[in-house]
Amino acid sequence: MGKVVSGWLGRSLVLSTLLWAAPLPGLTPVPMVWAQSGVDEATSIKVYEQVSPAVVAIETEDGGGSGSIVDANGLILTNAHVVGSSPIVQVRLADGRRFQGEVVGYGDNRLDLAAVRLRNGPNNLPTVTIAPPNSVRVGQSAFAIGSPFGLQGTLTVGIVSRIDSERNLIQTDAAINPGNSGGPLLNSNGQLIGVNTSIFTTSSSGGSVGIGFAIPTDAVQTLLA
């Protein structure tokens, strides 16, 4: 039997949390690109170079995950289960700079979203553009950027496999692993179409089997508003 791992899905599912993971011993985190057969290489490179500077790693005492800068003054979108109950988190930018971040908001009704504001950060940061609501189609290309197992700046590529209207989630086969939580799922224009939140897995280690889930932009816009 498989299970869905996440912080905040329905009670009928077996749950746990996708957390930030420390880098593997002896390895230095470096940007990685995995290209799925059939996806245009130039598009993958364009999306990565456009968006990766605006994707951050978030660290807490209990773990962490990833996030997207959505405002040039340092507002970051992530998962509620990434920040947990921590009022202050550590944020590592793509260029290696570190700042404290204050958790300034959570999604309503236990929606797995949170907002973090950088403290004393720069005011000209790169940002992730949010795609229009209801613009996602099954079969379109999907790109995930985050820090799986602490490997900040990792890109994985797939498609939108399904739209789960019942739970308001986007399903994708782009590889999502512990540490991707809170990071962006993107379209081929480099726009955020969802916030990665959970995966379906058949192993106790919680590794990707090609079924991941992201919270769509309609919920994101509600939180940011």
Side-chain angles (χ1 to χ4, degrees):
M1 294 288 291
K3 62 180 180 179
V4 172
V5 294
S6 170
W8 298 66
L9 288 182
R11 293 182 180 178
S12 62
L13 302 175
V14 180
L15 309 181
S16 67
T17 304
L18 283 177
L19 296 176
W20 173 85
L24 299 176
L27 294 181
T28 301
V30 294
M32 299 169 62
V33 177
W34 174 81
Q36 176 174 304
S37 177
V39 175
D40 179 68
E41 184 179 83
T43 300
S44 298
I45 294 171
K46 180 195 71 172
V47 169
Y48 184 80
E49 292 182 347
Q50 173 184 330
V51 180
S52 62
V55 181
V56 305
I58 297 174
E59 303 170 15
T60 72
E61 292 183 358
D62 299 322
S66 304
S68 301
I69 303 173
V70 293
D71 177 90
N73 292 319
L75 185 66
I76 295 167
L77 181 66
T78 187
N79 284 149
H81 80 255
V82 167
V83 299
S85 59
S86 302
I88 303 296
V89 297
Q90 301 298 315
V91 179
R92 186 172 68 247
L93 304 186
D95 61 12
R97 288 180 292 172
R98 291 177 177 268
F99 298 92
Q100 285 191 329
E102 180 180 0
V103 181
V104 294
Y106 291 92
D108 293 331
N109 300 317
R110 294 182 62 82
L111 180 67
D112 192 13
L113 291 175
V116 174
R117 173 73 68 178
L118 290 186
R119 286 183 168 180
N120 302 315
N123 58 9
N124 58 347
L125 292 167
T127 61
V128 177
T129 302
I130 299 175
N134 304 313
S135 62
V136 180
R137 298 292 182 268
V138 174
Q140 75 178 71
S141 296
F143 307 80
I145 302 178
S147 302
F149 303 107
L151 300 171
Q152 187 172 4
T154 296
L155 168 70
T156 54
V157 182
I159 63 168
V160 173
S161 309
R162 177 174 172 264
I163 296 176
D164 188 335
S165 301
E166 180 180 351
R167 297 188 178 89
N168 196 26
L169 292 171
I170 298 169
Q171 181 178 319
T172 181
D173 67 352
I176 299 172
N177 286 288
N180 276 112
S181 282
L185 188 69
L186 306 152
N187 62 21
S188 57
N189 293 319
Q191 297 173 319
L192 184 144
I193 60 173
V195 177
N196 298 318
T197 186
S198 62
I199 61 173
F200 183 91
T201 184
T202 57
S203 68
S204 58
S205 63
S208 172
V209 294
I211 300 179
F213 300 96
I215 300 169
T217 55
D218 60 341
V220 169
Q221 295 282 21
T222 299
L223 170 68
L224 295 180

